[in-house]
Amino acid sequence: MKINRIDHVSINVNDLSKAKEFFLDLGLEVKAEWELEGSQLDRIVGLKNVKTACVGLGMQEGHTWIELVKFYPPSDEIDIQQPFANTLGIRHICFAVEDIGAIIAKLKKKGTEVFSEIQQYEESYKLCYVRGPEGIILELAEKIT
């Protein structure tokens, strides 16, 4: 028995189109879009009367797959929480990027919250954290060559 790879990361959102636009602006591409509902989905996710809309996003030349999921019923009664970088649990997704400066400039123009200016970590990476729609935290990392 072994684990071969991470298949995908799922992110639940309330505004599917806004989250989709954010990831498209980063350079991901839509790989698939679909809706699901019914008793089988109810059993899979452990909820009743579930209906979802989903967008699968990935890179042109890669295996990374992010699913953005909008649940219609049932809705989350707590609503959007704004986690911090040190909040317990799964907290951020890191993308290896090229030209981090250009990406950050583009995101700032669109009003994306940037945690700090680009920081250099030792002699290996330039790093920056950003917060996308609905509290999604991304780390951008450019390898220094």
Side-chain angles (χ1 to χ4, degrees):
M1 184 173 113
K2 70 176 186 171
I3 295 174
N4 292 319
R5 63 184 168 84
I6 293 175
D7 186 75
H8 68 275
V9 174
S10 179
I11 303 171
N12 294 341
V13 298
N14 281 324
D15 189 335
L16 188 58
S17 61
K18 187 173 182 179
K20 176 181 167 182
E21 179 183 341
F22 174 74
F23 284 101
L24 291 175
D25 285 343
L26 281 173
L28 276 71
E29 299 176 347
V30 174
K31 300 296 186 176
E33 295 187 67
W34 66 96
E35 291 186 353
L36 293 171
E37 64 182 307
S39 61
Q40 184 179 28
L41 179 60
D42 290 359
R43 288 189 303 275
I44 290 169
V45 300
L47 298 168
K48 300 270 189 230
N49 302 315
V50 176
K51 180 179 180 184
T52 63
C54 307
V55 177
L57 298 150
M59 267 81 71
Q60 186 175 30
E61 299 174 11
H63 300 286
T64 302
W65 182 274
I66 293 176
E67 287 181 0
L68 302 176
V69 179
K70 164 67 177 160
F71 280 84
Y72 292 99
S75 62
D76 180 359
E77 295 176 9
I78 299 173
D79 204 14
I80 299 167
Q81 305 299 306
Q82 293 291 345
F84 295 98
N86 66 343
T87 301
L88 298 177
I90 296 174
R91 199 48 49 222
H92 74 272
I93 301 169
C94 182
F95 286 102
V97 301
E98 295 177 11
D99 199 355
I100 193 170
I103 294 169
I104 294 299
K106 179 180 178 179
L107 292 174
K108 281 183 175 180
K109 281 184 182 176
K110 293 204 161 252
T112 301
E113 178 187 347
V114 178
F115 284 46
S116 66
E117 295 304 314
I118 297 167
Q119 301 295 311
Q120 184 167 325
Y121 176 73
E122 297 179 347
E123 298 299 318
S124 56
Y125 285 95
K126 293 179 184 176
L127 304 170
C128 193
Y129 274 58
V130 302
R131 186 185 313 274
E134 302 187 34
I136 298 168
I137 297 175
L138 299 182
E139 178 183 9
L140 305 178
E142 180 179 350
K143 187 159 183 65
I144 297 171
T145 54

